[in-house]
Amino acid sequence: MLLTVSTTHSPATDLGYLLVKHPERVHTFDLSTGTATVLYPRADEQRCTMALLLEVDPRRLVDGKADGQLNQYVNDRPYAASSLLAAALNRVFRTAARGVSKDRPELAATAIPLEIRVPVLRAKGGLALAERLFTPLGWTVTGSVLPLDEARPEWGDSRYLDLTISGEVRLADALNHLYVLLPVLDDAKHYWVAPDEIEKLLRAGEGWLAGHPERPLIIRRYLAHSRALAERADEQLAPLAETAPDDSVAEHTAEKPKPLNLVRRTAVLAALAETGASRVLDLGCGGGALLGDLMKDRRYTEILGADVSPRTLEIAERRLRLHRLPDRQRARIKLVQSALTYVDERLRGYDAAVLMEVIEHLDLPRLPALCAAVFGDARPGAVIVTTPNVEYNVRYENLPEGEHRHDDHRFEWTRAEFAQWCDTVAAEYGYTVAVRGVGDPDPEVGTPTQLALFTRTTTATEVAA
């Protein structure tokens, strides 16, 4: 079976640095299922193509466990791309999939033009499913269904595709997309799926799987339809999805709108920059999406992420790869378990705090306790709050009338309700407040998200007086 990766990035031969495979050499790897060979049919400054050829030995697949059935030896595994090819990608390009390049570190972090072709791919669901899987990730999908026999067109189509995906994507992301989605299209694995497959899925799906509109299907197929494993995986991914319906209902057009969760984080970061803060709280930090953005900005010298769920904090720690950070970087960030409706002295003394899509997860009677703990006791210099605008929900075609955007939302406010709450809190705790919209405005129902920037005007003593 064969897979090719091509780029027209200039100089295109930098692909060899990213893949950690020299274009002038032929690289051979002995795998448990056969032999993988990496070579470059073309390598010049204008275009570079890497080819991965996987030769599968059916006898190795059986591995002494034959029970006399012929289909253990005679099958499509040596000829069609499947989970075997995904395993080979992981083995051969492990460093590249981590986004690591000693020689081209900046390029490894950059989206470059890529074209990936799999000439024979077993796809249960056909080209339509391939488009549903790859298009939301920024790929353009083209391909054709292979006939059962070119000499006998009356026999119809086979279950195999000649698939090409193209786009400007970071190479590490491309390899992780393939590692997960090739077995999903195949809908079969060549090995027993154990609980450790969840960790593999979370690692390869970091940054894209949680918000993918086909996440349930991807999880189910990747984990070989094990209901128990799928539920565990989805439970760990759910906190990372933030308000998943915001992303899943967006239509993927020629000019795809940015996902609302990305637009929201951008707005929060802009508001934080206005405050001039350097020591920041992310309250209800979830899976760490905002924390990752804060870590990339050197102006934030001390970052604390707080969440009530220990499991969610573990996910954030993995997402941020804290155990791999240099000591100096690691010292900038701390994760703590904390319930925001209770006073916690560890949260005092910070320049700014963020409550991004947090308040709507509390029962309304508990909101005063949160305000007392955050605005009254912790008293950061600025507080940024975002929450859904319920009026905008009518623009989500897949959201039934009267339902919230997320199953865990206890309420969602209109613009007037949010503004009134903000004014009340600001007056009670000695802050001024400015409310603004986040996302594309609709002339009738406003923006999908609303943001409030509270700025402290009085000391705790003055408020008490």
Side-chain angles (χ1 to χ4, degrees):
M1 65 186 78
L2 179 69
L3 177 144
T4 61
V5 178
S6 302
T7 186
T8 54
H9 162 82
S10 182
T13 48
D14 278 353
L15 182 64
Y17 288 107
L18 297 182
L19 292 170
V20 201
K21 303 290 180 290
H22 199 291
E24 295 182 4
R25 301 175 186 168
V26 174
H27 309 263
T28 304
F29 302 84
D30 185 49
L31 309 178
S32 60
T33 56
T35 303
T37 303
V38 175
L39 63 152
Y40 290 78
R42 177 176 175 179
D44 54 50
E45 291 193 356
Q46 288 70 46
R47 186 178 180 88
C48 186
T49 298
M50 180 282 302
L52 171 64
L53 177 65
L54 178 60
E55 298 178 270
V56 175
D57 184 347
R59 294 172 298 178
R60 296 195 192 184
L61 291 178
V62 175
D63 193 24
K65 300 176 183 177
D67 60 5
Q69 295 184 15
L70 184 62
N71 62 9
Q72 289 187 319
Y73 296 93
V74 182
N75 51 54
D76 64 359
R77 289 314 200 191
Y79 315 107
S82 63
S83 62
L84 289 165
L85 184 59
L89 282 168
N90 182 56
R91 166 69 174 83
V92 174
F93 300 120
R94 188 165 297 169
T95 300
R98 294 202 306 267
V100 176
S101 174
K102 180 180 67 175
D103 300 296
R104 298 290 189 275
E106 293 184 0
L107 186 60
T110 303
I112 61 174
L114 292 173
E115 181 181 281
I116 300 173
R117 184 185 176 200
V118 187
V120 183
L121 170 63
R122 186 162 78 167
K124 186 177 179 182
L127 189 60
L129 179 58
E131 290 176 343
R132 286 162 47 199
L133 295 176
F134 285 104
T135 301
L137 301 174
W139 295 101
T140 298
V141 179
T142 58
S144 58
V145 181
L146 299 176
L148 278 174
D149 190 330
E150 292 182 355
R152 297 181 179 274
E154 67 273 13
W155 286 6
D157 294 332
S158 71
R159 57 184 175 179
Y160 305 99
L161 299 177
D162 181 348
L163 183 71
T164 299
I165 59 174
S166 57
E168 288 200 7
V169 181
R170 205 169 63 107
L171 179 66
D173 293 334
L175 293 173
N176 285 309
H177 295 166
L178 292 168
Y179 176 72
V180 173
L181 298 181
L182 289 180
V184 170
L185 283 164
D186 180 19
D187 200 19
K189 282 205 168 182
H190 64 281
Y191 58 89
W192 175 256
V193 174
D196 63 350
E197 289 296 296
I198 296 176
E199 183 63 31
K200 296 179 185 177
L201 177 62
L202 295 178
R203 184 170 59 248
E206 181 180 352
W208 62 270
L209 178 55
H212 197 292
E214 297 293 341
R215 186 180 83 193
L217 180 144
I218 293 171
I219 293 174
R220 185 172 65 251
R221 285 194 174 193
Y222 184 87
L223 296 173
H225 297 270
S226 168
R227 182 175 179 179
L229 295 182
E231 288 178 350
R232 286 172 55 185
D234 194 63
E235 183 181 355
Q236 295 186 56
L237 282 166
L240 303 180
E242 301 180 351
T243 53
D246 293 341
D247 299 333
S248 62
V249 298
E251 295 182 1
H252 299 281
T253 59
E255 294 184 2
K256 294 180 295 219
K258 290 183 179 179
L260 182 56
N261 57 0
L262 177 58
V263 173
R264 183 188 303 117
R265 292 206 308 272
T266 301
V268 167
L269 292 169
L272 268 178
E274 292 178 33
T275 69
S278 59
R279 304 175 65 246
V280 179
L281 297 167
D282 184 3
L283 304 177
C285 63
L290 181 63
L291 291 173
D293 293 330
L294 295 172
M295 286 292 293
K296 296 173 185 175
D297 195 327
R298 294 182 180 274
R299 83 181 79 186
Y300 302 115
T301 58
E302 187 175 343
I303 304 162
L304 186 145
D307 201 279
V308 71
S309 167
R311 177 171 292 182
T312 298
L313 291 172
E314 291 174 5
I315 294 172
E317 185 172 5
R318 285 200 303 270
R319 179 178 193 158
L320 299 169
R321 301 179 180 179
L322 297 186
H323 63 288
R324 298 183 184 178
L325 292 178
D327 292 342
R328 186 174 178 180
Q329 284 279 60
R330 182 65 181 87
R332 292 174 59 208
I333 185 166
K334 182 187 297 183
L335 300 179
V336 300
Q337 182 187 7
S338 182
L340 301 182
T341 52
Y342 294 91
V343 169
D344 187 337
E345 63 183 15
R346 295 173 297 177
L347 307 183
R348 296 171 184 165
Y350 282 80
D351 301 328
V354 176
L355 290 158
M356 186 173 70
E357 307 299 287
V358 171
I359 61 171
E360 65 272 10
H361 291 272
L362 292 177
D363 292 321
L364 277 171
R366 300 294 294 160
L367 264 187
L370 178 143
C371 293
V374 174
F375 292 90
D377 185 78
R379 289 196 63 72
V383 181
I384 297 167
V385 179
T386 74
T387 193
N389 167 23
V390 71
E391 297 168 75
Y392 195 89
N393 288 0
V394 295
R395 297 294 181 253
Y396 293 132
E397 295 181 1
N398 296 336
L399 188 63
E401 183 178 356
E403 290 195 12
H404 296 323
R405 297 186 200 177
H406 193 284
D407 291 341
D408 191 50
H409 286 186
R410 301 299 196 264
F411 66 89
E412 290 176 356
W413 274 333
T414 65
R415 287 168 288 174
E417 288 170 331
F418 182 58
Q420 182 179 5
W421 176 81
C422 291
D423 289 341
T424 301
V425 171
E428 183 174 356
Y429 292 100
Y431 285 77
T432 60
V433 64
V435 178
R436 62 190 71 165
V438 176
D440 293 332
D442 182 285
E444 296 179 357
V445 296
T447 57
T449 293
Q450 39 198 347
L451 179 150
L453 172 56
F454 294 84
T455 304
R456 192 180 65 203
T457 58
T458 60
T459 66
T461 304
E462 290 171 329
V463 172

